[in-house]
């Protein structure tokens, strides 16, 4: 690899180093997913906070997993030794594994009961996936002794005792460690239930939860009182609004984004209703269902008779199993009539209408894929059997099934979604965490679920952010439609339940967060509708009106989001895409230069990927890339929109028998980051000779205007992040809490003073005329289109450009002046932010001290007579006092460092500069 190519790679590497430190791109750049504006907003809030202890409660389908990957990407970049435990329901652990690999360049293991504690060398980070039902087993997983960060997905679906156990591990426990970072992911956090609120809030607000416990208050009640007292301080001017929002607001660490806040970001829903006219054989079912519903109208929805009545229009085998339930004993004649009808094997009008709907789909589009929701496993089996008979052309792999609860393991779930089937028949219990939009855009409810939350979850698996949606959103275009068909038998309780659900807009729009009280009210409305009570309509309209104005019953309000301006969002997205294009250009340069061997082949499924391996002559490769060899090819994706549907972690290349892990050529991938550092360091050791390098440019029109001219390319980076890193290292011996705090301050400082890179090009003619080079020229000089001459005779004819250093000095001085002006502009806003930060840190320290003083007061109030216990009690008091003093000293030190960083940022300005000096040769030398 020649000197020019080394320097070109250094230019690319420096730009990528700077981009990785940008708060706007640091997380999003390294994650293979389009960064939506609401995700950028959440990312900014999390990274700028004093701690990462947050609940991501966005609506279903708004990309919570992607946001978690963005946060994880930033943290692992700053701390490669980070150990992460991801706790998720077993069904979606494999999906998490794929997402981590395909989108987040993380190879994560799914732990099993057979796994014993693994030995990891000190300083080695790892990510483990832990099934939710493994919590509290022996040995208990996860333990803060083994992991630094805890991510819990679908926490609402966990056992409450398990959730409370995890929450306890997020709080300070004498000398035992706690999780340093916590992210909880759920669209339904169940905060209206006091027990769930204690578990969830305890994990993200540990100190304030402990104070509430000492005072005998529920966490949400204490947060509300604390916020009310702080609002008084905002009104009298002693507390800033920003400090209130970050330090005192009850929802300060609860992030909830909705489609209402971001209209047009999700697909448009088209809802259809199919009312089936009952046959003579189905009239007894309707009569029996209505009679039993009237009898049991005061029972809870999750008990008899509702569970039995829902099965009236499911598979015959399912109905036979429940007809002998005591629910139907009061109507034995109707029950017997239904049994007699079933024995005659009558037709099924609901199924006939389903076939008509499917035929209507396939007349317009024979390839159209459909999801059918059935009520239970026997109905799934019945539909699969009968639809196969009705549509024999789909008998070979045309149908896929997912049965609920324990009847389908996670391999079957993933296999069904990834299959090439035309119809997916799924039981209504299969809902959480599934990316059904990767299979189809239409869903038919053959059996209507009687739970609003279940319907919301199922539709939410279609109504999700999708590939290409961001571009459409930014251009104010539709991001597509999803079709929802509801099938009910006319005159049945199901028809009345559908009416109630429609009055609540359950199918038209995602549900807002429903606490326990609101969920019970919805269940009551559905039960009243099924029972035929006339007042269910009035109750549904009243509740819909209440939901339209917000959730008054909830103690935690949804965060008020102030979206970035459209121009700002477009700028961020354009920067991320530009970085991707630059990565593609660098890959091509590495191939062309011979530094690494590779190409851009198509995988067996048609996906275009990049490959890299060591060249046959290893000694010509200037980089030492760990496990990379001359035989084993590393596969890279460089575009986030080429992951497949659904994303795949492996690709199969031509002539390969087995799949290979596809890395993402971006920030956060270990090999990519190693290559960036080596390329940057190699280019810094290169000296620039006054003799230009003779080069050829492939594009004829560009080359024609530049032949015979000397081009000087200068790239300068100002990296305040390096100054912050040096200050962080200076305090490595402090307590873990202080080190974590300083790392948070560093992230916050990066939002105030981001790293920058500037590139300038000047074009000098032989007569001394100087022009500013365009962006097009800059791109050409950094691409494989710029090739150095291999003809030594031609190179010897090039005259030295003695004025190069003068131009370099002028350019460096100008770019340094631009950087000083930038920092001066940022400093005024930073001083205001510093004042807010001081209030936030002071307030949080005061909260911690308040807790410790209450704790010490508790310890001193003990009535202990035993001398040994007295000594132990005094030791605990002394330990609490030390922790309190350490926290106060840490806050003081942090504030001193922050003030020094804000006030003296420009004093430490030390730009890093790389240079390229070339002379463009005429095209007729190409053959030489």
């Amino acid at each position: 690899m020649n000197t020019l190519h080394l320097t070109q790679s250094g230019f690319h590497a420096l730009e990528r180093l700077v981009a990785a430190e940008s708060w706007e791109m640091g997380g999003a750049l390294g994650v293979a997913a389009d960064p939506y504006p609401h995700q950028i907003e959440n990312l900014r809030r999390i990274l700028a906070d004093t701690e990462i202890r947050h609940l991501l409660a966005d609506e279903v389908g708004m990309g919570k997993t992607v946001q978690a990957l963005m946060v994880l990407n930033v943290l692992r970049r700053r701390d490669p030794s980070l150990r992460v435990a991801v706790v998720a329901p077993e069904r979606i652990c494999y999906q998490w594994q794929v997402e981590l690999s395909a989108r987040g360049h993380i190879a994560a293991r799914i732990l099993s009961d057979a796994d014993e504690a693994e030995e990891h060398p000190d300083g080695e980070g790892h990510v483990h996936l832990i099934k939710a039902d493994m919590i509290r087993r022996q040995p208990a997983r996860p333990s803060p002794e083994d992991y630094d960060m805890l991510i819990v997905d679908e926490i609402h679906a966990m056992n409450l005792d398990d959730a409370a156990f995890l929450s306890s591990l997020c709080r300070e426990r004498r000398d035992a460690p706690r999780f340093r970072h916590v992210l909880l992911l759920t669209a339904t956090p169940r905060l209206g239930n006091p027990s769930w609120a204690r578990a969830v809030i305890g994990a993200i607000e540990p100190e304030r939860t402990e104070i509430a416990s000492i005072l005998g208050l529920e966490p949400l009640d204490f947060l509300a009182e604390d916020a009310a007292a702080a609002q008084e301080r905002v009104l009298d001017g002693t507390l800033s609004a920003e400090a209130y929002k970050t330090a005192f607001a009850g929802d300060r660490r609860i992030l909830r984004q909705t489609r209402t806040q971001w209209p047009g970001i999700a697909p448009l829903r088209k809802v259809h209703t199919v009312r089936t006219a009952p046959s003579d054989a189905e009239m007894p079912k309707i009569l029996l269902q209505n009679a039993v519903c009237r009898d049991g109208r005061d029972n809870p929805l999750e008990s008899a008779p509702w569970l039995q009545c829902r099965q009236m229009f499911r598979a015959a085998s399912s109905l036979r199993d429940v007809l002998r339930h005591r629910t139907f004993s009061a109507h034995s004649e109707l029950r017997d009539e239904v049994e007699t009808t079933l024995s005659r094997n009558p037709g099924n009008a609901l199924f006939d209408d389903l076939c008509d709907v499917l035929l209507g789909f396939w007349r317009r589009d024979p390839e159209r894929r459909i999801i059918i929701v059935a009520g239970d496993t026997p109905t799934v089996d019945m539909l699969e059997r009968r639809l196969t008979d009705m549509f024999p052309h789909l008998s070979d792999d045309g149908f896929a099934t997912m049965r609920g609860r324990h009847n389908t393991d996670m391999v079957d779930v993933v296999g069904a979604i990834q299959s090439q089937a035309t119809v997916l028949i799924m039981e209504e219990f299969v809902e959480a965490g599934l990316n059904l939009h990767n299979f189809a855009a239409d869903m038919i409810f053959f059996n209507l679920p009687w739970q609003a939350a279940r319907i919301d979850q199922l539709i939410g698996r279609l109504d999700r952010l999708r590939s290409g949606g961001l571009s459409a959103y930014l251009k104010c275009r539709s991001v597509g439609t999803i079709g929802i068909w509801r099938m009910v038998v006319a005159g049945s309780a199901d028809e009345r339940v559908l009416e109630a659900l429609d009055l609540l807009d359950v199918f038209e729009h995602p549900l807002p967060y429903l606490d326990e009280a609101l969920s019970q009210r919805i269940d009551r409305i559905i039960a009243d509708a099924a029972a035929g009570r006339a007042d269910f309509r009035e109750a549904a309209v009243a509740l819909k009106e209440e939901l339209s104005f917000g959730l008054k019953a909830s103690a935690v309000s949804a965060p008020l989001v102030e979206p970035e301006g459209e121009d700002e969002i477009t700028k961020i997205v354009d920067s991320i895409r530009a970085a991707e294009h630059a990565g593609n250009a660098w890959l091509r340069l590495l191939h062309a230069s011979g530094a690494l061997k590779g190409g851009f082949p198509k995988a067996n499924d048609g996906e275009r990927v990049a490959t890299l391996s060591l060249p046959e002559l290893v000694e010509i490769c200037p980089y030492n890339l760990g496990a990379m060899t001359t035989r084993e090819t590393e596969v890279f994706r460089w575009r986030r929109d080429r992951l497949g549907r659904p994303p795949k972690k492996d690709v199969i290349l031509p002539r390969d028998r087995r799949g290979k892990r596809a890395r993402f050529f971006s920030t956060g991938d270990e090999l990519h980051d190693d290559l960036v550092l080596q390329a940057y360091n190699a280019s810094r050791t290169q000296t620039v000779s006054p003799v230009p390098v003779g080069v050829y440019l492939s594009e004829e029109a560009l080359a024609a205007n530049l032949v015979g001219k000397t081009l000087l390319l200068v790239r300068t980076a100002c990296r305040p992040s390096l100054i912050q890193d040096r200050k962080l290292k200076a305090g490595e011996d402090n307590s873990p809490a202080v080190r974590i705090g300083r790392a948070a301050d560093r992230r916050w400082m990066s939002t105030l003073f981001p790293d920058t890179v500037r590139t300038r090009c000047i074009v000098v003619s032989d007569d001394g005329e100087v022009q500013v080079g365009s962006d097009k020229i800059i791109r050409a000089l950094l691409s494989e289109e710029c090739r150095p001459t291999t003809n030594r005779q031609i190179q010897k004819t090039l005259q030295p450009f003695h004025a190069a250093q003068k131009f370099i000095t002028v350019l460096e001085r100008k770019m340094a002046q631009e950087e000083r002006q930038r920092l001066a502009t940022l400093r005024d806003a930073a001083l205001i932010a510093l004042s807010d930060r001081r209030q936030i840190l002071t307030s949080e320290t005061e909260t911690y001290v308040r807790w410790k003083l209450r704790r010490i007061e508790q310890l001193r109030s003990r009535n202990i007579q035993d001398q040994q216990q007295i000594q132990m009690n005094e030791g605990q008091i002394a330990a609490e006092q030390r922790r309190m003093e350490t926290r106060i000293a840490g806050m003081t030190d942090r504030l001193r460092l922050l003030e020094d960083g804000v006030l003296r940022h420009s004093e430490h300005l030390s730009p890093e500069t790389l240079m390229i000096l070339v002379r463009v040769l005429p095209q007729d030398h190409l053959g030489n």
Side-chain angles (χ1 to χ4, degrees):
M1 189 175 188
N2 58 56
T3 301
L4 176 64
H5 284 142
L6 277 174
T7 309
Q8 286 175 311
S9 284
F11 268 64
H12 284 286
L14 180 57
E15 183 178 42
R16 297 180 87 76
L17 282 173
V18 171
E21 290 298 333
S22 166
W23 75 263
E24 299 156 332
M25 298 197 298
L29 184 63
V31 175
D34 279 333
Y36 281 81
H38 69 277
Q39 295 172 339
I40 294 293
E41 179 66 24
N42 280 350
L43 184 68
R44 179 175 68 173
R45 284 187 59 184
I46 292 173
L47 296 183
D49 211 336
T50 53
E51 287 186 282
I52 294 181
R53 312 186 78 81
H54 293 80
L55 168 65
L56 277 173
D58 292 355
E59 282 181 347
V60 172
M62 296 286 279
K64 292 184 289 294
T65 302
V66 167
Q67 294 174 55
L69 293 180
M70 290 178 179
V71 173
L72 187 55
N73 185 34
V74 171
L75 293 181
R76 291 178 75 243
R77 175 172 174 76
R78 303 311 317 165
D79 182 8
S81 66
L82 190 72
R83 304 164 303 168
V84 183
V86 180
V87 177
E90 181 178 2
R91 287 178 177 273
I92 59 174
C93 279
Y94 180 73
Q95 181 174 305
W96 260 94
Q97 188 180 50
V98 173
E99 294 281 332
L100 284 164
S101 179
R103 297 192 189 279
H105 35 252
I106 296 171
R109 287 190 55 214
I110 301 176
L111 297 189
S112 67
D113 291 330
D115 289 323
E116 298 180 358
E118 294 184 322
E119 293 293 331
H120 288 274
D122 290 341
E124 180 181 337
H126 52 266
V127 178
H128 287 161
L129 289 159
I130 300 174
K131 303 167 190 174
D133 61 2
M134 293 174 63
I135 304 301
R136 294 192 302 146
R137 292 187 190 176
Q138 294 299 323
R141 291 193 179 97
S143 168
E145 295 181 355
D146 301 321
Y147 301 99
D148 308 303
M149 183 177 191
L150 174 67
I151 300 175
V152 185
D153 193 12
E154 304 285 2
I155 188 173
H156 70 278
M158 291 180 62
N159 177 285
L160 176 58
D161 291 337
D162 293 342
F165 173 74
L166 288 179
S167 180
S168 70
L169 301 181
C170 299
R171 302 196 287 274
E172 189 176 288
R173 303 168 295 139
R174 294 190 181 180
D175 295 326
R178 72 171 185 174
F179 292 114
R180 291 161 47 186
H181 312 293
V182 178
L183 271 182
L184 309 180
L185 282 59
T186 174
T188 51
R190 304 177 68 176
L191 298 180
N193 182 305
S195 297
W196 276 99
R198 285 193 291 272
V200 173
I201 300 301
I204 62 174
E205 292 279 14
E207 286 83 13
R208 297 208 280 179
T209 297
E210 296 289 0
I211 296 175
S213 177
I214 293 173
L215 295 176
L217 297 173
E218 294 294 341
L220 290 180
D221 293 335
F222 176 76
L223 293 182
E225 291 181 8
D226 213 27
Q231 283 177 336
E232 296 297 326
R233 294 172 56 192
V234 175
L235 294 175
D236 64 25
T238 59
L239 182 70
S240 73
E242 182 62 31
Y244 166 79
K245 180 180 177 182
T246 306
F248 289 101
D251 60 356
R252 65 173 188 152
R253 288 180 177 160
I254 300 175
L255 293 84
R256 176 143 180 99
Q257 306 279 8
T258 68
R259 289 164 175 78
T260 302
Q261 293 169 288
W262 304 91
I265 207 167
L268 177 67
R269 297 185 181 190
K270 290 188 175 181
V271 182
H272 311 268
T273 303
V274 178
R275 285 184 172 82
T276 296
S279 64
D280 291 341
E282 286 166 329
M283 286 305 300
K285 296 182 184 179
I286 296 175
L287 295 174
L288 178 60
Q289 184 188 50
N290 287 336
V292 173
C293 285
R294 285 194 297 270
D295 293 344
R297 59 189 181 184
D298 294 325
N299 293 355
L301 192 61
E302 286 302 320
S303 64
W306 314 113
L307 294 177
Q308 292 71 35
C309 286
R310 291 179 207 171
Q311 300 187 54
M312 197 61 64
F313 299 100
R314 297 179 184 177
S317 60
S318 180
L319 179 55
R320 287 192 186 97
D321 289 341
V322 302
L323 280 178
R324 290 298 165 182
H325 192 272
R326 64 180 184 276
T327 295
F328 301 105
S329 59
H331 303 277
S332 57
E333 292 183 3
L334 282 174
R335 181 194 63 196
D336 294 343
E337 188 176 352
V338 171
E339 285 188 319
T340 301
T341 303
L342 288 175
S343 66
R344 295 171 182 165
N345 194 25
N348 187 323
L350 200 63
F351 178 79
D352 293 341
D353 282 352
L354 172 64
C355 292
D356 289 341
V357 172
L358 294 176
L359 285 171
F361 287 159
W362 293 328
R363 285 194 192 102
R364 294 187 295 271
D365 180 4
E367 304 298 323
R368 190 169 181 174
R369 306 176 83 189
I370 314 294
I371 297 171
I372 301 174
V373 178
D376 55 17
T377 296
T379 309
V380 171
D381 295 338
M382 179 273 290
L383 287 175
E384 181 181 25
R385 183 179 65 257
R386 295 197 62 183
L387 286 174
T388 301
D389 293 339
M390 287 294 299
F391 302 100
H393 68 285
L394 298 176
S395 59
D396 295 332
D397 301 323
F399 294 95
T401 59
M402 286 197 296
R403 293 160 177 83
R405 295 186 177 177
H406 305 294
N407 298 319
T408 302
D409 62 27
M410 68 177 179
V411 174
D412 293 330
V413 168
V414 175
I417 296 176
Q418 294 185 354
S419 71
Q420 298 302 309
T422 302
V423 180
L424 170 60
I425 309 171
M426 61 182 292
E427 189 172 339
E428 67 179 50
F429 291 111
V430 184
E431 64 212 29
L434 298 175
N435 292 325
L436 295 178
H437 69 287
N438 289 322
F439 184 89
D442 297 290
M443 178 177 286
I444 300 174
F445 287 93
F446 179 75
N447 298 129
L448 182 71
W450 285 15
Q451 294 104 329
R454 179 161 294 157
I455 294 170
D456 186 57
Q457 281 278 345
L458 284 163
I459 297 176
R461 300 299 147 195
L462 286 185
D463 187 6
R464 306 179 73 78
L465 305 181
R466 54 197 59 205
S467 178
L470 179 60
S471 296
Y473 172 75
L474 294 176
K475 296 176 181 177
C476 298
R477 295 203 307 258
S478 169
V479 298
T481 61
I482 59 173
I484 305 165
W485 275 259
R486 300 89 52 83
M487 302 189 67
V488 292
V489 177
S492 67
D494 296 78
E495 185 180 32
R496 295 190 297 275
V497 168
L498 178 59
E499 183 183 357
L501 293 170
D502 281 344
L503 289 172
L504 292 169
D505 271 353
V506 172
F507 289 92
E508 296 284 354
H509 305 286
L511 287 174
Y513 163 63
L514 300 176
D515 63 16
E516 204 75 6
L518 286 170
S519 295
Q520 291 174 0
R521 289 173 62 186
I522 289 180
D523 287 350
R524 185 70 263 160
I525 291 170
I526 291 173
D528 287 346
R533 284 183 169 178
D535 59 354
F536 82 85
R537 298 179 180 86
E538 182 180 348
V541 171
L543 180 56
K544 178 63 175 64
E545 187 70 14
E546 182 177 331
L547 294 178
S548 299
F549 287 91
L551 302 178
K552 300 176 184 177
S554 177
V556 176
S557 60
L560 294 176
V561 178
E562 296 177 1
E564 297 275 4
E566 184 175 328
D567 292 342
E568 184 66 21
I569 292 295
T570 302
K571 178 181 176 182
I572 293 172
V573 174
D574 287 346
S575 298
I576 293 169
R577 289 176 173 168
E580 289 185 344
H581 292 316
N584 188 6
W586 190 21
L587 283 169
R588 294 186 182 281
L589 176 66
L590 290 169
H591 297 164
S593 67
L596 294 169
K597 183 176 66 174
F600 292 87
K602 279 188 177 181
N604 285 357
D605 62 357
E607 179 184 358
R608 179 75 68 180
V609 295
T611 61
L612 285 179
S613 62
L614 295 181
E616 296 298 331
L617 298 176
V618 178
E619 58 272 15
I620 70 173
C621 178
Y623 311 120
N624 179 16
L625 297 175
M628 183 178 284
T629 68
T630 58
R631 295 183 179 180
E632 288 298 321
T633 299
E634 295 289 346
V635 181
F636 287 94
R637 294 181 170 109
W638 71 93
R639 287 184 57 174
R640 60 190 68 232
D641 59 352
R642 292 184 175 177
L643 299 183
R645 295 181 58 189
K648 301 183 293 292
K649 63 179 180 179
D650 299 322
V651 297
I652 302 178
L653 297 178
R655 292 177 292 186
D656 281 353
R657 295 183 178 180
R658 294 189 302 173
K660 290 185 177 181
R661 178 193 169 200
R663 315 175 77 113
F664 184 40
F665 194 73
S666 189
T667 298
D669 176 74
E670 182 181 6
L671 196 147
H672 168 274
D673 290 351
D674 192 12
L675 180 59
V676 166
L677 286 175
Q678 291 192 44
Y680 171 63
N681 290 330
S683 66
R684 293 189 68 185
T685 63
Q686 300 296 318
T687 59
V688 178
S689 168
V691 179
V693 176
V695 299
Y696 307 107
L697 297 180
S698 299
E699 186 178 338
E700 295 183 5
L702 186 65
N705 293 325
L706 296 176
V707 167
K709 297 180 181 178
T710 301
L711 279 62
L712 177 62
L713 190 64
V714 177
R715 174 161 284 177
T716 295
C718 290
R719 302 170 63 190
S721 61
L722 296 180
I723 302 170
Q724 298 160 20
D725 286 340
R726 287 194 291 268
K727 292 180 179 179
L728 270 178
K729 291 179 181 179
E732 282 186 348
D733 295 333
N734 287 331
S735 68
V738 175
R739 291 203 304 272
I740 295 169
R742 281 182 170 171
D745 293 341
R746 184 213 179 279
R747 293 192 298 270
W748 177 75
M749 287 285 288
S750 294
T751 68
L752 300 178
F753 300 102
D755 292 357
T756 58
V757 62
R758 291 180 173 82
T759 307
R760 298 288 186 273
C761 176
I762 59 171
V763 181
V764 184
S765 303
D766 285 342
D767 59 5
E769 181 184 357
V770 178
Q771 294 179 323
V772 176
S774 65
D775 290 341
K776 185 176 182 180
I777 294 175
I778 293 173
R779 288 193 298 271
L781 292 179
L782 295 178
S783 72
E784 83 279 7
E785 296 178 1
C786 179
R787 291 168 290 167
T789 181
T790 57
N791 190 315
R792 296 184 180 181
Q793 296 300 320
I794 293 176
Q795 182 64 43
K796 287 181 180 180
T797 64
L798 302 183
Q799 297 298 315
F801 185 63
H802 296 294
Q805 189 56 53
K806 179 184 70 174
F807 284 109
I808 292 171
T809 302
V810 170
L811 287 175
E812 284 184 309
R813 187 182 300 120
K814 182 178 181 181
M815 288 189 279
Q817 179 62 29
E818 291 174 353
E819 179 62 16
R820 279 190 288 270
Q821 291 174 353
R822 182 184 76 95
L823 293 177
T825 302
L826 295 175
R827 180 180 168 183
D828 293 338
L831 287 172
I832 298 174
L834 176 62
S835 176
D836 293 335
R837 190 77 167 186
R838 184 181 292 109
Q839 285 188 312
I840 293 166
L841 291 178
T842 301
S843 298
E844 291 186 341
T845 304
E846 289 173 348
T847 299
Y848 185 87
V849 170
R850 180 182 175 188
W851 168 37
K852 290 304 175 185
L853 290 176
R854 290 275 184 178
R855 176 64 179 152
I856 291 171
E857 183 180 338
Q858 268 189 334
L859 293 170
R860 285 176 174 163
S861 65
R862 288 179 173 178
N863 185 15
I864 303 174
Q865 303 299 326
D866 182 77
Q867 188 62 36
Q868 185 176 2
Q869 289 184 347
I870 291 174
Q871 291 178 352
M872 291 177 60
N873 198 55
E874 289 176 348
Q876 291 181 31
I877 292 173
E880 298 289 17
Q881 288 175 332
R882 286 194 300 271
R883 294 188 187 101
M884 187 168 55
E885 292 166 358
T886 299
R887 184 68 172 262
I888 294 172
M891 179 206 65
T892 303
D893 188 49
R894 287 172 63 185
L895 287 175
R896 178 184 58 80
L897 290 175
L898 284 173
E899 185 173 351
D900 177 72
V902 171
L903 295 177
R904 297 177 175 84
H905 233 70
S906 59
E907 295 178 10
H908 305 289
L909 188 65
S910 180
E912 304 166 65
T913 304
L914 298 177
M915 293 157 284
I916 293 176
L917 183 64
V918 300
R919 186 174 180 86
V920 180
L921 300 176
Q923 294 290 328
D924 56 5
H925 288 154
L926 284 174
N928 296 328

